[in-house]
Amino acid sequence: MNITWDAEKYTEDFSFVHQYGESVTELIESDVNSTLLDLGCGNGTLSKSLLDKGFRVQGIDASKELLELASVKYPEIPFIQADATDFSLAKPVDVVFSNAVFHWIDADKQASMLRCVHRALKENGEFVFEFGGHGNNQLIHESLARTFEEYGYSYDMPFYFPTIAEYATLLEKAQFKVNYAILFNRPTELEGEDGLRDWIQLFVKTPFSVVDNEDHKAVILDTTVKRLQKTLYKDGKWYADYVRLRMKASRL
Ligand code: BEZ
């Protein structure tokens, strides 16, 4: 996963990730008493919501910081620290669920992740997920890339945002049957006057590691935010140009 989380900030300022995730949980068709893995469960908010619906939930996440929050808040749920591209469960489950996680996994690691999910599911088990799809945050990344270039740095895109066709192909290669797929725009309001600046600072960390001059870091951020005002700031509010890829598949 391409990030070290500021767990408190993520939980306080970006709760929309879980609020939107609620609608992804509604896509699950298995009986509510099924066993379920929340893959990339983060601070456990959706794991708890799934538990409350009746699912027998366990959560996996790579972030020790987020899992510490999850375990304190929801001690009734087993949370395990593991990498989504290299995990195995003691017993296969009926459902693997994931929200807003797979874009953090590099393209060349997706197949390993899908192999782990396949192994974690019972035959015909249900795989339901949503993450950033093709075109996600395109205005933000294009603007950052342009500003990086102007200051002599190259912008290394830290996310994987595939098309439906690309991801369906990966799923089929990994022995899943695709049952449902949709790619849709979801402009997302960011809280406060500094909403976009805060979003970039929390989520777009790794590209800034090549910027060795602190003044340049600040100027790149200021310039990018200023430029994006034309397209992403409306009626006193910031909106991020999110595009979601939502899919359902079953394990063959
Ligand atoms: C997303 O949920 O699409 C996302 C969030 C933060 C950074 C990149 C993508």
Side-chain angles (χ1 to χ4, degrees):
M1 191 130 325
N2 300 316
I3 196 169
T4 306
W5 288 102
D6 179 342
E8 302 280 352
K9 186 147 188 67
Y10 175 68
T11 300
E12 278 163 28
D13 295 356
F14 296 96
S15 56
F16 67 77
V17 176
H18 313 110
Q19 283 155 17
Y20 279 114
E22 284 295 341
S23 65
V24 189
T25 70
E26 283 156 23
L27 298 176
I28 300 170
E29 288 176 42
S30 302
D31 292 344
V32 286
N33 61 354
S34 302
T35 51
L36 181 148
L37 171 67
D38 182 1
L39 184 56
C41 59
N43 62 16
T45 308
L46 288 176
S47 312
K48 169 66 171 152
S49 160
L50 288 159
L51 184 84
D52 289 345
K53 285 181 201 262
F55 291 105
R56 288 179 281 148
V57 180
Q58 57 188 302
I60 281 186
D61 204 281
S63 164
K64 191 165 157 273
E65 293 76 15
L66 287 169
L67 285 183
E68 270 165 15
L69 285 183
S71 304
V72 169
K73 264 187 119 178
Y74 314 116
E76 66 276 36
I77 301 176
F79 292 109
I80 303 156
Q81 190 185 1
D83 185 332
T85 68
D86 183 16
F87 73 92
S88 54
L89 300 181
K91 265 175 88 176
V93 290
D94 300 304
V95 183
V96 173
F97 168 85
S98 183
N99 179 55
V101 174
F102 298 164
H103 47 252
W104 294 101
I105 297 172
D106 292 338
D108 62 359
K109 299 240 173 84
Q110 293 285 333
S112 312
M113 190 269 290
L114 293 176
R115 262 197 302 279
C116 294
V117 172
H118 192 274
R119 192 172 53 203
L121 273 171
K122 292 182 188 166
E123 198 176 335
N124 294 320
E126 195 181 2
F127 184 26
V128 173
F129 57 88
E130 180 180 301
F131 66 108
H134 189 66
N136 196 34
N137 308 137
Q138 192 163 333
L139 293 172
I140 299 176
H141 293 297
E142 279 176 358
S143 186
L144 279 165
R146 175 181 160 201
T147 321
F148 266 62
E149 206 169 293
E150 286 166 358
Y151 282 85
Y153 303 100
S154 70
Y155 183 73
D156 197 3
M157 174 66 172
F159 301 111
Y160 171 63
F161 298 137
T163 62
I164 289 182
E166 191 178 338
Y167 215 71
T169 303
L170 283 185
L171 283 163
E172 286 169 2
K173 277 195 188 146
Q175 299 300 306
F176 288 94
K177 174 175 167 282
V178 176
N179 300 316
Y180 172 83
I182 183 169
L183 184 76
F184 60 99
N185 293 339
R186 195 201 67 200
T188 299
E189 189 184 329
L190 304 175
E191 236 177 77
E193 259 318 289
D194 287 327
L196 181 63
R197 170 182 295 272
D198 291 347
W199 186 95
I200 293 173
Q201 282 184 308
L202 185 70
F203 290 122
V204 190
K205 286 196 172 126
T206 50
F208 281 89
S209 61
V210 299
V211 183
D212 40 17
N213 175 320
E214 286 305 312
D215 291 342
H216 283 180
K217 276 188 190 165
V219 168
I220 288 172
L221 188 58
D222 285 348
T223 308
T224 305
V225 169
K226 208 162 175 189
R227 282 180 172 154
L228 285 167
Q229 199 150 13
K230 271 195 243 96
T231 44
L232 297 181
Y233 191 73
K234 290 184 196 94
D235 302 325
K237 286 179 179 163
W238 283 105
Y239 294 87
D241 53 337
Y242 275 60
V243 177
R244 314 316 291 161
L245 173 59
R246 190 177 264 201
M247 296 180 88
K248 299 204 305 184
S250 37
R251 176 210 188 277
L252 297 175

